[in-house]
Amino acid sequence: MNETEDGRRKTEGGQSIMTDLAASPTTTIYRKPGASKGIWSWITTVDHKRIGVMYGYAAFFFFILGGIEALLLRVHLAQANSEF
């Protein structure tokens, strides 16, 4: 088999076939975010498992925050005419 100048191989029948792979397209519309470690990878993730973990942490955080606010409100209302 012979090679032509543009990198193709010639078969015995004289037909040429491509030997190189086509370059992959470089579209940026659906490209996955590049960070694989750190906080930025958690913020920009599209992985449903990571999103579920973040959802759980956010729910727990706001549950604790709401409890703290409820305690502050009860402390405020424990005395008559108290100002906070």
Side-chain angles (χ1 to χ4, degrees), residues 24-35 44-46:
S24 62
T26 57
T27 139
T28 59
I29 297 172
Y30 299 111
R31 188 174 53 182
K32 183 179 170 185
T44 60
T45 189
V46 292

Side-chain angles (χ1 to χ4, degrees), residues 1-11 16-17 19-20:
M1 286 199 227
N2 301 1
E3 283 195 22
T4 61
E5 298 125 15
D6 58 356
R8 299 184 199 183
R9 283 192 208 165
K10 282 189 177 177
T11 61
S16 61
I17 55 174
T19 58
D20 294 330

Side-chain angles (χ1 to χ4, degrees), residues 39-77:
I39 189 72
W40 189 247
S41 71
W42 279 89
I43 292 171
T44 60
T45 189
V46 292
D47 182 17
H48 68 281
K49 292 172 282 201
R50 280 187 162 191
I51 292 171
V53 168
M54 288 189 299
Y55 186 82
Y57 280 128
F60 183 71
F61 171 76
F62 284 109
F63 178 75
I64 297 298
L65 184 66
I68 291 170
E69 288 179 354
L71 284 174
L72 290 174
L73 183 65
R74 288 175 189 263
V75 166
H76 176 70
L77 293 175

